[in-house]
Amino acid sequence: MKRLIIAIFLGATALTAPVASSSAQDFNPFEIGGALGAAIPVGDFGDEADVGYNATFILGYKPAFSPLGFRFDAAYNEMGDEVFTDESFQIPSFTGNLVFEMPTAGFRPYLIGGAGLYRVGTSISGIEAENKFGFNAGAGISMPLSGFKVFVEARYNHVSFDAGNVTFVPITFGAIF
């Protein structure tokens, strides 16, 4: 886990070294991007699942001169099952999120949170996947470059079921254009 965090940090540092700025006339409020990283199960779900991976597709809208933006994320999380070692948990999600970016130069910290549909399933035969609403909240740091920005973020995801909760934290590194 330490190696993954160090690799993400070093990758972000290497990509953010050649900083350039674009003019205001080149501003486009619509964003598209993606992210990859680790999905870490927490709470009771952490007793059943192993660390896995996350892949996220991002569509966003960030008005000029506003710290508040909107982001739609389509994510896929897969984590191993600690009980049945050949099995896994799959959690695709579709969430709408608000993003509050701190107005600073260079590195820009931000808060993100929202809600949406999560489909929690497993590869164990005979167990059906369930669609449930859930929420997420987290924080990140972005760095604008020439024509795009890179970011590192972590978000707590929570989905409630009659039998319990599924909670996990994806830590991702990505780019938005």
Side-chain angles (χ1 to χ4, degrees):
M1 184 60 194
K2 278 186 179 178
R3 289 182 185 179
L4 176 64
I5 292 171
I6 291 170
I8 289 172
F9 176 76
L10 291 176
T13 303
L15 286 175
T16 58
V19 175
S21 63
S22 61
S23 66
Q25 65 186 358
D26 294 335
F27 179 76
N28 181 356
F30 296 100
E31 302 175 326
I32 188 168
L36 295 172
I40 303 164
V42 296
D44 290 340
F45 186 53
D47 296 336
E48 299 176 32
D50 288 326
V51 173
Y53 68 91
N54 168 285
T56 303
F57 174 73
I58 300 165
L59 291 175
Y61 178 76
K62 173 84 171 54
F65 309 112
S66 173
L68 192 61
F70 305 96
R71 205 165 102 181
F72 173 78
D73 294 342
Y76 180 79
N77 300 277
E78 185 167 324
M79 292 160 264
D81 189 320
E82 286 191 359
V83 177
F84 303 101
T85 57
D86 294 339
E87 307 299 335
S88 62
F89 295 96
Q90 299 93 27
I91 308 172
S93 64
F94 302 94
T95 59
N97 304 284
L98 292 175
V99 181
F100 179 76
E101 192 172 70
M102 312 303 173
T104 61
F107 285 103
R108 295 185 180 155
Y110 63 90
L111 301 174
I112 184 167
L117 181 67
Y118 291 76
R119 181 170 178 83
V120 179
T122 181
S123 60
I124 299 171
S125 62
I127 298 177
E128 302 253 345
E130 290 187 57
N131 293 325
K132 295 289 184 177
F133 283 98
F135 68 89
N136 69 79
I141 298 174
S142 69
M143 178 68 177
L145 300 174
S146 181
F148 69 102
K149 63 183 172 182
V150 294
F151 67 90
V152 175
E153 86 180 16
R155 276 198 268 177
Y156 174 82
N157 289 261
H158 179 91
V159 185
S160 292
F161 291 89
D162 295 336
N165 301 317
V166 171
T167 53
F168 58 99
V169 177
I171 299 174
T172 58
F173 172 75
I176 295 177
F177 300 89

